Amino acid sequence: MQANSSDFILQTTDLVKEFKGFTAVSDVNLNVQRGHIHALIGPNGAGKTTVFNLLTKFLQPTRGKIAFNGKDITRMQPAEIARLGIIRSFQISAVFPHLTVLENVRVALQRKENHSMHFWRSDKILNSLNDRAHELLESVGLGEFANTVTTDLAYGRKRALEIATTLALDPELMLLDEPTQGMGHEDVGRTADLIRKVSKNRTILMVEHNLQVVSKLADRITVLQRGAILTEGDYDTVSQDPQVREAYMGTEAPQEASA
Amino acid sequence: MSKVNRNLIIAIALLAIAPFVLYPVFLAKVLCFALFALAFNLLLGYAGILSFGHAAFLGTGGYITGWAMLNTGMSTELAILLGTAAGAALGAIYGKLAIKREGIYFAMITLALAQLTFFLYLQAPFTGGENGMQGIPRGELFGFIDLTNNLTMYYVVALIFLFGYAVVSRAIHSPFGQVLKAIRENEPRAISLGYDVNKYKWVAFVISAALSALAGSTKTIVFQLASLTDVHWHMSGEVILMTLVGGVGTLMGPIVGASLIVTMQNYLSTGEMGNYIHIIMGFVFVICVLSFRNGIVGQWNKFKAKNF
């Protein structure tokens, strides 16, 4: 399949991150195609999270370029790229624990209104966002929990809430950092279904350890090792690659290496 | 809503009757510190940032208002307004400098800036240095309400306090307050949703500084005195103590905490126990931190939620 550069929503060029002489990420050229679910995998310490933090601007790259829709975003602030339409999730569930479930989603919806600095106005104007918030909660199966204080939710539900909050901003590109990490078997399946559901009309880049989830969801996979790209392709290509087998537990097939 | 209204009416009624039971100047002092603690709690309780230099704003309000009353002959409300504006301006600068850092580093920078302010007032010719600024006239409000009467003075302070309370209460229950709480709860997430968190923190800092200065200005008018005590770092510590003992992150907490601490100071410092006041306050603080971390009001709210 031929793809010209406008089909790529996110591109990195020779991305490098050094920490005091240690090169965590070296010359990574990542091309994420529009509409894809793109997975970033690799053994522990391969630099996945560092790449992820570079893309979300929580870290500044030492060298190299990052482009979103052809626009250079290398030196932008995290909040700026969020406003461009790149919304990230976090490894540990990123919710606002002492706000209610509904308020969590509303904080995200509120960002596109222009009254967020208005400290002299009543928060009753936020009620106009309630319908949309309820819709989003229904879409991730949290409708009945709208008025629960978030800290009381089960872990899997917190992650669902996080996705609803992210969706509230209708991002063009969603960056998910290990969305199924720390979940029980049932929750993993439910979350994977949810990711597939929300991937319509948008692009998702995810770091994921669970290769079953990756095999089920990803259109394209990039394997990282020691900060560099080892190989790239669809699941069949990648899982047959001898280098990948080598990187994951000697010569075993990667299916078993879901730790 | 009706419950809120009822509580408000009770509170106003209490404020109105109080000076017939207790000494008005003492009550005015309590209200000034309650306003100070309310302002401080807007930052610690609702934005999750600990300033260790709020004395700078309290003191600036006091000195500027005192200077205006002594030297310009402006009416009292303008002098208070000037003091408040000066505190807000200082807060705008200090906030810009400190908010780039987080947590303990933020606290250290605010402390350093407050110490700088302290030495500035110690050396500046208009403050009277160690002696402080004395004999500040209370003046006349709007040019015709004579404030030399303690009861009148008290009611003016009560109105200022209610105004401050309204500002904080509205700020907390506003779209802005909602974002502030989100930042307190999970700052990286708030950033990833596209909020420039430092801007929100800065606005909260300036509001807090302005209200602290308003408290300082009012206090200076009540006591006709502005001194280094108000800019000393002890004062920055005391407001933290008031807020924590009363209940951080609650609207009533700082008011309860300030009332308790000021009452203790007032009654203990005159009696036999005067020499031990710092030991006693330290003891109260330790008990609070060890056994009821949510403060008096926080604990009460928990108790109420459990039992009613």
Side-chain angles (χ1 to χ4, degrees):
Chain A
M1 186 167 66
Q2 282 268 312
N4 66 49
S5 67
S6 70
D7 286 340
F8 294 126
I9 187 164
L10 187 72
Q11 287 182 295
T12 70
T13 318
D14 300 329
L15 203 59
V16 175
K17 178 66 185 176
E18 287 166 356
F19 295 107
K20 289 188 178 154
F22 167 71
T23 309
V25 172
S26 77
D27 294 329
V28 166
N29 293 293
L30 195 66
N31 295 300
V32 180
Q33 203 178 317
R34 193 181 304 281
H36 267 183
I37 297 181
H38 193 128
L40 204 56
I41 66 169
N44 280 331
K48 301 183 296 289
T49 299
T50 311
V51 168
F52 196 84
N53 283 331
L54 290 173
L55 295 177
T56 51
K57 313 312 305 158
F58 278 66
L59 283 176
Q60 279 297 335
T62 313
R63 279 189 299 282
K65 209 183 111 179
I66 306 168
F68 173 65
N69 281 333
K71 186 179 172 173
D72 189 347
I73 60 165
T74 316
R75 297 291 152 199
M76 281 190 181
Q77 294 298 311
E80 271 180 273
I81 67 152
R83 290 196 291 271
L84 285 179
I86 307 175
I87 308 291
R88 70 168 289 177
S89 75
F90 293 81
Q91 241 178 61
I92 326 149
S93 76
V95 292
F96 304 115
H98 295 102
L99 303 186
T100 67
V101 169
L102 184 79
E103 283 173 329
N104 261 266
V105 179
R106 235 173 37 179
V107 167
L109 288 171
Q110 191 189 335
R111 211 257 291 139
K112 288 188 178 168
E113 309 287 313
N114 44 18
H115 50 47
S116 287
M117 271 291 171
H118 294 179
F119 57 82
W120 57 90
R121 288 174 81 171
S122 166
D123 54 10
K124 290 208 176 59
I125 51 171
L126 296 175
N127 288 338
S128 64
L129 303 169
N130 284 0
D131 289 344
R132 178 85 188 103
H134 276 293
E135 249 172 65
L136 284 159
L137 288 176
E138 291 292 344
S139 76
V140 299
L142 288 177
E144 56 184 304
F145 298 102
N147 296 316
T148 309
V149 177
T150 307
T151 184
D152 296 334
L153 282 187
Y155 185 74
R157 295 213 164 95
K158 278 186 194 151
R159 304 238 56 168
L161 172 59
E162 200 187 330
I163 290 176
T165 309
T166 305
L167 285 175
L169 293 167
D170 195 18
E172 218 181 321
L173 174 63
M174 271 171 91
L175 301 172
L176 307 178
D177 193 0
E178 304 200 14
T180 66
Q181 207 228 9
M183 279 188 186
H185 195 69
E186 238 172 79
D187 281 342
V188 169
R190 204 182 305 145
T191 305
D193 290 342
L194 191 56
I195 292 171
R196 175 170 299 288
K197 191 171 143 197
V198 305
S199 69
K200 287 199 185 92
N201 304 322
R202 62 183 106 241
T203 314
I204 292 178
L205 174 70
M206 57 192 246
V207 169
E208 184 55 72
H209 265 303
N210 189 323
L211 291 176
Q212 258 178 350
V213 173
V214 171
S215 71
K216 241 167 80 181
L217 290 177
D219 299 300
R220 199 169 177 81
I221 298 164
T222 301
V223 186
L224 280 178
Q225 193 190 18
R226 295 199 199 92
I229 292 180
L230 190 64
T231 183
E232 205 178 280
D234 61 16
Y235 185 74
D236 290 333
T237 320
V238 166
S239 60
Q240 295 309 317
D241 191 304
Q243 275 182 296
V244 176
R245 288 168 167 257
E246 176 74 30
Y248 274 93
M249 299 204 166
T251 55
E252 273 181 83
Q255 274 91 337
E256 274 109 56
S258 61
Chain B
M1 191 61 208
S2 63
K3 199 179 156 209
V4 174
N5 274 339
R6 201 192 60 197
N7 287 346
L8 189 67
I9 290 166
I10 293 172
I12 291 174
L14 277 176
L15 280 175
I17 314 166
F20 298 104
V21 184
L22 292 158
Y23 183 48
V25 173
F26 164 73
L27 285 171
K29 184 179 177 187
V30 167
L31 288 180
C32 288
F33 279 104
L35 177 57
F36 185 33
L38 264 173
F40 174 80
N41 185 43
L42 177 66
L43 276 188
L44 183 62
Y46 294 94
I49 46 184
L50 171 64
S51 159
F52 203 66
H54 256 47
F57 309 122
L58 183 83
T60 297
Y63 275 126
I64 299 300
T65 299
W67 172 84
M69 290 307 288
L70 283 170
N71 297 295
T72 67
M74 60 171 66
S75 59
T76 311
E77 76 283 353
L78 287 179
I80 290 178
L81 219 56
L82 190 71
T84 307
L90 195 71
I93 298 165
Y94 285 6
K96 262 281 176 296
L97 291 170
I99 276 164
K100 288 178 191 154
R101 297 281 173 268
E102 275 171 40
I104 188 76
Y105 302 103
F106 175 85
M108 279 161 64
I109 292 173
T110 50
L111 173 62
L113 291 170
Q115 285 303 93
L116 190 130
T117 315
F118 174 85
F119 286 108
L120 220 68
Y121 286 134
L122 179 65
Q123 299 296 334
F126 79 97
T127 61
E130 300 270 10
N131 298 323
M133 215 182 253
Q134 297 186 12
I136 298 164
R138 279 185 183 171
E140 292 178 331
L141 195 70
F142 305 118
F144 67 91
I145 302 170
D146 183 17
L147 294 176
T148 45
N149 180 309
N150 280 341
L151 198 60
T152 316
M153 185 72 239
Y154 164 79
Y155 283 120
V156 170
V157 174
L159 281 177
I160 290 172
F161 167 79
L162 281 174
F163 165 77
Y165 180 87
V167 170
V168 172
S169 162
R170 174 37 60 92
I172 290 165
H173 300 114
S174 70
F176 170 78
Q178 197 66 21
V179 177
L180 218 54
K181 279 177 240 174
I183 293 169
R184 174 194 68 188
E185 294 282 297
N186 191 336
E187 185 170 339
R189 182 56 170 168
I191 294 170
S192 83
L193 294 178
Y195 287 109
D196 285 321
V197 297
N198 285 355
K199 245 192 236 166
Y200 290 83
K201 287 184 187 174
W202 181 74
V203 171
F205 195 88
V206 176
I207 297 173
S208 177
L211 290 179
S212 301
L214 176 61
S217 300
T218 310
K219 186 168 160 290
T220 288
I221 296 293
V222 174
F223 289 97
Q224 305 182 274
L225 171 83
S227 76
L228 287 170
T229 323
D230 286 356
V231 265
H232 199 270
W233 65 268
H234 277 170
M235 189 57 79
S236 300
E238 225 158 75
V239 74
I240 299 175
L241 178 70
M242 289 171 184
T243 309
L244 290 183
V245 168
V248 67
T250 62
L251 259 172
M252 284 310 292
I255 301 170
V256 172
S259 311
L260 189 75
I261 301 292
V262 173
T263 307
M264 273 172 56
Q265 282 173 341
N266 250 47
Y267 287 95
L268 293 179
S269 65
T270 48
E272 280 275 300
M273 304 295 277
N275 297 328
Y276 302 102
I277 184 152
H278 289 292
I279 298 175
I280 296 167
M281 295 227 308
F283 195 64
V284 168
F285 190 45
V286 169
I287 290 175
C288 169
V289 169
L290 286 180
S291 53
F292 53 107
R293 252 175 241 187
N294 303 312
I296 296 166
V297 172
Q299 209 65 25
W300 168 248
N301 286 344
K302 242 187 180 174
F303 174 79
K304 231 172 38 178
K306 236 184 225 164
N307 296 287
F308 296 107

